[in-house]
Amino acid sequence: MANDLQIYTLAIVLIGDFNPVIISPFWLSGKGLIREEEARKAKIELIHNDVTRYELSWAKIEVTQKRFEIRTSQEPYFEPIKDLAISIFDILRETPITIMGINHLQYFAVSNGDTYYNFGNKFAPLNNWKDILNDPKMQSLEIVEEKRKDGLNGKFRIRITPSEIALSTPYGILIHANDEVGLQKGEAGKDREIIKQLANVWKSSMERTNKAVESIWKKIN
Amino acid sequence: MADLITIEDALIKPSVKTNKPVPEKDIIVDVIKESVKKRLEKIRENLTETKVFESTISDFEGELESPKFSVPSDNESYKYFVHTQRWIGHVEEIKHDGFIAKLTDLSDNTTYEMGEFDFDEVSPEDMPLLTVGATFYWSLGRANENGQIEKKALMRFQRVRPWTEKDYDRIVDRAEDKFKKLKWN
């Protein structure tokens, strides 16, 4: 198969004003948001006023004073990471949050070098570069929707790069969709506006990304 | 008289000379601080510089994009679960050895199907969550753990913040407010 999806990582990023030390595994289990066993077995790298960083068996969490991130590479936990992010800030309702990003990172193992080369050649015709560079190759392509289709304040961005993770073939491609939503006019970010948007756009973000990736592959095959 | 320097001082603060031995508790605190400091520095290397709050989206583009866990850890590289079919389930009926649930496909919510599950399919820590109306996620897919591909089914009950009295009050207030605004013809 030419476009074998091998890894799908989903990451939710929130920008705001956080207190990293609160969001520990034991706080999460104390609030009933994860299982006690999961909190006990969490691999804690650091819990500190500046940074909290640990790994559950199904997600990684990193919180700094300005940034919250949760991510997983296990599809059955896509909804649970969304539930967890929403629930954390339903409890910490006073937390100011101004922007969110849903990152879809899809890693494809391409079966042969020709398809891999064509991928770059299709989207950034390499003939245009042959008089400038010797044997040009596409390394990174980023296309941005400056004004979102749904009218929300934010951007939708797609970036294509070689995969930085080793896959089952030497021809790995990463298609990264970054779905960003910020505060709307008149919002201050102190009334869970962004968390409500996360719940609202979740489904459409999944659908839109899958359609976009499908469309990209159709153009190649 | 030459300054005295303890072994601990030499190890922790080689450039500082003192004629007083450092109390043991202070040495421990120093060692801990040093360790945290080093780890923080290491993590900060992976983080982009934090920026001033209250900015526009474009100011945070770098922050919002690719996850800042930089290169995946070895563990993560070998723990994937893809090509899943995922359903959201709502418990309809609890029987003596299992339960019946309404299952909606997360990729196509236009139809639903009914499924019957045994209690032994539920993780022990999720059992207290199993009540009529409870929500759970059920997935079938391909797991890659340490290079071993397995077809797996995974059930997980939804865990969300429990409702408080304030939540109920807020909802009642909103409902009353909407009711007042209703115009009867």
Side-chain angles (χ1 to χ4, degrees):
Chain A
M1 201 166 100
N3 54 344
D4 183 15
L5 174 66
Q6 295 210 334
I7 303 170
Y8 187 170
T9 299
L10 196 74
I12 299 168
V13 177
L14 304 171
I15 302 295
D17 203 354
F18 306 104
N19 186 353
V21 80
I22 289 183
I23 307 170
S24 70
F26 292 102
W27 182 81
L28 296 179
S29 71
K31 297 291 178 189
L33 303 181
I34 62 170
R35 298 173 185 158
E36 270 181 46
E37 183 72 5
E38 290 170 340
R40 271 199 298 274
K41 289 189 173 166
K43 289 179 193 163
I44 297 172
E45 189 172 333
L46 190 66
I47 294 180
H48 188 271
N49 287 334
D50 290 343
V51 186
T52 284
R53 192 175 184 182
Y54 53 88
E55 191 175 337
L56 305 173
S57 59
W58 49 275
K60 281 188 168 188
I61 295 176
E62 181 180 279
V63 193
T64 67
Q65 292 182 356
K66 299 290 176 198
R67 192 173 184 280
F68 167 94
E69 178 170 336
I70 181 165
R71 77 160 172 168
T72 184
S73 299
Q74 300 177 58
E75 286 182 11
Y77 294 101
F78 284 1
E79 270 70 27
I81 67 164
K82 179 255 300 171
D83 291 341
L84 186 53
I86 290 173
S87 293
I88 288 170
F89 296 105
D90 269 350
I91 295 169
L92 305 173
R93 356 184 17 103
E94 313 298 326
T95 306
I97 303 174
T98 51
I99 312 169
M100 66 140 195
I102 303 173
N103 292 278
H104 305 259
L105 295 98
Q106 299 194 0
Y107 295 85
F108 294 89
V110 175
S111 56
N112 61 73
D114 288 343
T115 309
Y116 186 73
Y117 180 85
N118 281 338
F119 205 99
N121 195 28
K122 190 85 181 183
F123 291 104
L126 297 169
N127 266 338
N128 293 339
W129 295 92
K130 280 187 175 163
D131 61 328
I132 302 167
L133 300 173
N134 178 35
D135 193 17
K137 303 264 166 57
M138 189 191 87
Q139 283 293 304
S140 176
L141 175 74
E142 182 172 323
I143 307 289
V144 183
E145 177 182 89
E146 290 277 352
K147 285 189 178 177
R148 293 176 61 96
K149 275 183 183 173
D150 55 16
L152 294 171
N153 175 28
K155 294 177 183 175
F156 194 92
R157 179 183 287 105
I158 292 177
R159 180 185 292 160
I160 299 171
T161 59
S163 166
E164 81 277 25
I165 299 176
L167 304 176
S168 65
T169 73
Y171 312 108
I173 289 174
L174 164 63
I175 301 180
H176 176 181
N178 172 241
D179 193 355
E180 292 175 6
V181 179
L183 292 171
Q184 308 305 298
K185 217 174 179 181
E187 291 179 338
K190 293 179 178 174
D191 192 24
R192 298 170 53 259
E193 298 95 332
I194 291 292
I195 292 302
K196 287 175 200 164
Q197 289 294 3
L198 172 58
N200 289 341
V201 305
W202 178 261
K203 194 166 171 281
S204 61
S205 183
M206 305 293 289
E207 286 171 357
R208 186 168 186 197
T209 300
N210 289 332
K211 272 186 191 163
V213 171
E214 201 177 307
S215 172
I216 287 169
W217 278 111
K218 266 187 193 164
K219 290 181 175 84
I220 298 299
N221 294 328
Chain B
M1 191 177 129
D3 288 338
L4 292 173
I5 181 164
T6 64
I7 293 171
E8 288 84 354
D9 271 330
L11 288 172
I12 298 162
K13 299 172 185 169
S15 60
V16 178
K17 288 183 179 179
T18 173
N19 56 3
K20 286 181 186 172
V22 179
E24 196 179 334
K25 67 176 176 54
D26 291 348
I27 293 167
I28 292 166
V29 168
D30 270 355
V31 170
I32 291 169
K33 277 182 186 164
E34 185 65 18
S35 166
V36 169
K37 199 177 157 195
K38 275 185 185 166
R39 297 182 81 177
L40 273 171
E41 277 169 5
K42 202 176 160 191
I43 285 167
R44 279 183 182 133
E45 280 171 15
N46 289 334
L47 297 170
T48 53
E49 195 183 329
T50 45
K51 297 175 185 174
V52 185
F53 190 50
E54 289 181 1
S55 297
T56 61
I57 285 188
S58 52
D59 289 333
F60 287 102
E61 274 170 6
E63 300 280 327
L64 283 162
E65 281 174 22
S66 52
K68 291 294 181 287
F69 294 95
S70 58
V71 178
S73 67
D74 288 346
N75 276 346
E76 192 199 9
S77 306
Y78 291 99
K79 218 170 182 181
Y80 308 126
F81 203 129
V82 285
H83 299 292
T84 52
Q85 188 163 5
R86 291 177 289 141
W87 290 266
I88 186 164
H90 297 282
V91 178
E92 295 269 311
E93 187 188 340
I94 297 177
K95 296 160 78 172
H96 72 282
D97 57 351
F99 64 96
I100 294 171
K102 182 177 165 181
L103 298 167
T104 308
D105 191 330
L106 279 167
S107 60
D108 174 17
N109 61 4
T110 53
T111 58
Y112 68 87
E113 48 201 303
M114 302 303 287
E116 196 165 346
F117 299 89
D118 294 334
F119 286 144
D120 60 14
E121 291 177 70
V122 181
S123 299
E125 280 205 66
D126 279 358
M127 279 305 283
L129 303 173
L130 175 52
T131 54
V132 171
T135 301
F136 66 96
Y137 301 111
W138 190 54
S139 311
L140 298 173
R142 203 173 76 188
N144 179 343
E145 203 159 332
N146 300 317
Q148 178 63 52
I149 309 282
E150 290 175 87
K151 281 188 177 172
K152 268 191 177 178
L154 199 143
M155 181 187 289
R156 186 178 178 91
F157 275 73
Q158 188 185 44
R159 289 170 180 267
V160 287
R161 179 183 71 100
W163 283 34
T164 62
E165 207 172 313
K166 264 189 183 175
D167 293 323
Y168 286 105
D169 289 347
R170 206 176 292 130
I171 285 166
V172 169
D173 288 348
R174 277 170 57 191
E176 281 175 358
D177 191 43
K178 288 199 170 175
F179 186 72
K180 277 180 202 163
K181 287 177 185 165
L182 274 180
K183 286 179 184 169
W184 301 96
N185 291 325

